[in-house]
Amino acid sequence: SPSFADAFNNMGNAMREAGRLEEAEVAYKRAIELRPDFAIAHGNLGNVYFDQGKLDVAIECFKHAILLEPNFPDAHNNLGNALVEV
């Protein structure tokens, strides 16, 4: 259900803002499980991996988000930031 996917994405945002990255990761993965084409959740999961220093996985998440939604400026920007760090 899209509304449940949105709820898990929002929970992930709240957890990430609180610095609870593992819980944010779980919430974003659940959002993606419920709605595999949810580009924003893929991008948000990439942000968690970026925050954890898991750059290779973050890059894959950002690329997937862009594949799903080519006009997703945050994902393009985040991908660029991650590629600079590698």
Side-chain angles (χ1 to χ4, degrees):
S1 167
S3 61
F4 284 121
D6 287 331
F8 278 103
N9 185 64
N10 292 340
M11 185 189 326
N13 291 341
M15 293 296 113
R16 182 170 175 244
E17 286 174 26
R20 294 161 64 176
L21 298 179
E22 292 79 13
E23 290 165 90
E25 179 183 352
V26 170
Y28 292 136
K29 284 181 174 179
R30 185 73 178 115
I32 291 165
E33 186 179 305
L34 290 166
R35 197 164 83 203
D37 65 344
F38 196 177
I40 292 171
H42 284 279
N44 287 336
L45 181 58
N47 287 329
V48 168
Y49 290 134
F50 185 87
D51 292 346
Q52 294 172 327
K54 298 175 183 174
L55 298 178
D56 291 344
V57 193
I59 288 166
E60 291 309 310
C61 290
F62 298 141
K63 285 181 177 177
H64 196 75
I66 291 165
L67 185 70
L68 292 169
E69 195 175 313
N71 297 319
F72 186 2
D74 287 347
H76 285 278
N77 184 57
N78 293 336
L79 175 60
N81 290 338
L83 289 170
V84 167
E85 296 288 324
V86 173

